[in-house]
């Protein structure tokens, strides 16, 4: 009976996911390499939010969708799981012209964004997953919040947060503000570090024994996760479960870092991928090798 319930719940969850044609075949598409590559996207979509929720989450109002967060997750079977942040203000080729990476999504949706990342990195993307503001906050609240330790206070009215230094429990609204904030001297580069740090903590909390044995946490978390996700056509709930387990293991042997960048000399506030170090990082992932230690961002 328990097995039937689990299988039935899994099938139900699989039917709740929104799917889109994020992956496409085209001339010159990178060949498959070692392991599995995911493109995880956090959009600023306000779909499903009421005016009160927009005010509570300090999202503001905006038309259209943009990508505030882009991470490449490489899962190597029997090897290292790597999470690599792709700064949204990276200058790359988008449909043949130099542009910021996040413009690919706003002009061509998931399919153009995925193709842009593939062409810039030389890696084939196997799975795509996207979540908006409401879904992220719901996932955090479903597991009862996530504990984070801040080295310094973080006061950002634009993100709706005023957090003291030290360890504290962040609910959905505060967590959303924390991963959205750019109130740092190095702005987006610090933000992507915070996003990776928080995502690892969220996965660790969601997969902890205390959460897994508690149906009042596990069921709402699973519903929030799959009900607000947009994935590619070939992704199913068991793929997401495998990804979650791999990301849970990052804290005990995986690597989180940012693609090596330097300030752009042509576009103010933008960055460019390092012509020597970025290919070294992507070549390691393609070959199934560990990322060289000198390419791992200090402090992760």
């Amino acid at each position: 009976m328990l097995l039937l319930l689990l299988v039935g719940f899994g099938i139900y969850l699989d039917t709740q996911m929104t799917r889109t044609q994020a992956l496409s075949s085209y001339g010159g598409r990178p060949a498959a390499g070692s392991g599995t590559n995911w493109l995880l996207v956090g959009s600023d979509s306000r779909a499903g939010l009421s005016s009160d929720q927009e005010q509570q989450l300090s999202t503001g109002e905006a038309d259209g969708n943009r990508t505030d967060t882009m991470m490449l997750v490489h899962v190597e079977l029997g090897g290292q799981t790597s999470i690599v942040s792709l700064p949204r203000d990276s200058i790359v080729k988008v449909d043949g012209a130099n542009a910021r990476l996040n413009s690919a999504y706003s002009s061509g949706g998931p399919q153009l964004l995925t193709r842009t990342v593939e062409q810039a990195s030389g890696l084939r993307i196997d799975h795509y997953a996207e979540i908006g503001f409401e879904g992220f906050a719901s996932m955090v609240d479903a597991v009862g919040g996530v504990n984070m330790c801040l080295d310094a206070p973080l006061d950002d009215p634009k993100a709706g947060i005023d957090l003291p230094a030290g360890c504290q429990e962040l609910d959905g609204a505060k967590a959303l503000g924390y991963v959205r904030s750019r109130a740092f001297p190095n702005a987006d580069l610090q933000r992507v570090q915070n996003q990776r740090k928080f995502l690892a903590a969220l996965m660790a909390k969601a997969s902890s024994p205390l959460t897994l044995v508690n149906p009042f946490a596990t069921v709402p978390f699973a519903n929030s996760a799959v009900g607000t996700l947009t994935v590619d056509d070939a992704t199913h709930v068991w793929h997401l479960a495998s990804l979650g387990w791999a990301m849970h293991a990052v804290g005990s042997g995986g690597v989180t870092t940012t693609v090596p960048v330097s300030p752009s000399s042509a576009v103010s506030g933008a960055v460019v991928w390092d012509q020597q170090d970025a290919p070294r990082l992507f070549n390691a992932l393609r070959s199934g090798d560990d990322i060289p230690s000198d390419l791992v961002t200090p402090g992760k």
Side-chain angles (χ1 to χ4, degrees):
M1 286 295 295
L2 179 59
L3 179 60
L4 288 174
L5 285 173
L6 291 174
V7 171
F9 184 54
I11 294 174
Y12 164 76
L13 291 176
D14 197 57
T15 64
Q16 300 306 299
M17 288 191 293
T18 300
R19 292 183 169 85
T20 186
Q21 191 176 353
L23 308 178
S24 61
S25 297
Y26 56 88
R29 187 183 183 196
S34 181
T36 302
N37 296 312
W38 286 77
L39 181 60
L40 303 188
V41 173
S43 76
D44 66 357
S45 171
R46 293 150 175 83
L49 292 179
S50 65
S51 298
D52 289 342
Q53 287 175 314
E54 288 179 348
Q55 184 174 5
Q56 178 188 5
L57 298 177
S58 300
T59 64
E61 298 180 5
D63 296 326
N65 295 346
R66 286 160 290 275
T67 47
D68 277 345
T69 305
M70 287 164 283
M71 295 182 190
L72 178 66
V73 180
H74 177 84
V75 182
E76 189 66 35
L77 184 62
Q80 189 180 77
T81 296
S82 307
I83 304 177
V84 181
S85 292
L86 309 176
R88 67 173 193 169
D89 293 323
S90 301
I91 300 299
V92 296
K93 291 290 185 182
V94 179
D95 255 356
N98 287 333
R100 295 177 191 259
L101 178 58
N102 68 340
S103 70
Y105 184 95
S106 56
S107 60
Q111 193 169 108
L112 179 57
L113 175 61
T114 302
R115 185 166 78 245
T116 299
V117 171
E118 287 185 331
Q119 293 174 331
S121 68
L123 295 174
R124 175 173 289 216
I125 303 301
D126 302 295
H127 296 284
Y128 172 92
E130 173 193 333
I131 193 166
F133 284 160
E134 192 272 337
F136 178 84
S138 296
M139 287 170 61
V140 175
D141 285 334
V143 296
V146 175
N147 187 269
M148 294 298 294
C149 295
L150 279 63
D151 295 330
L154 179 54
D155 183 8
D156 185 356
K158 291 182 178 180
I161 52 172
D162 183 6
L163 304 176
C167 297
Q168 56 209 283
E169 198 84 9
L170 301 185
D171 62 13
K174 291 179 180 178
L176 181 60
Y178 175 72
V179 299
R180 290 179 57 217
S181 178
R182 304 177 74 198
F184 310 101
N186 56 352
D188 197 49
L189 294 181
Q190 179 61 49
R191 176 168 72 166
V192 295
Q193 288 191 36
N194 290 345
Q195 289 170 347
R196 295 195 306 270
K197 183 179 179 181
F198 186 88
L199 185 59
L202 174 60
M203 290 297 101
K205 178 75 176 287
S207 58
S208 69
L210 288 177
T211 301
L212 292 176
V213 300
N214 180 6
F216 296 103
T218 303
V219 173
F221 177 81
N223 277 323
S224 297
V226 303
T228 55
L229 279 175
T230 297
V231 297
D232 64 274
D233 291 336
T235 292
H236 296 279
V237 69
W238 49 90
H239 296 123
L240 292 173
S242 176
L243 172 66
W245 184 254
M247 294 181 68
H248 160 74
V250 166
S252 60
V255 166
T256 70
T257 190
T258 302
V259 60
V261 298
S262 57
S264 170
S265 59
V267 182
S268 177
V271 296
V272 294
W273 294 1
D274 188 279
Q275 294 184 353
Q276 292 184 337
D277 287 341
R280 286 177 57 211
L281 184 151
F282 295 128
N283 286 337
L285 298 182
R286 185 183 306 107
S287 302
D289 299 327
D290 291 352
I291 295 176
S293 58
D294 63 305
L295 301 183
V296 178
T297 306
K300 298 188 178 183

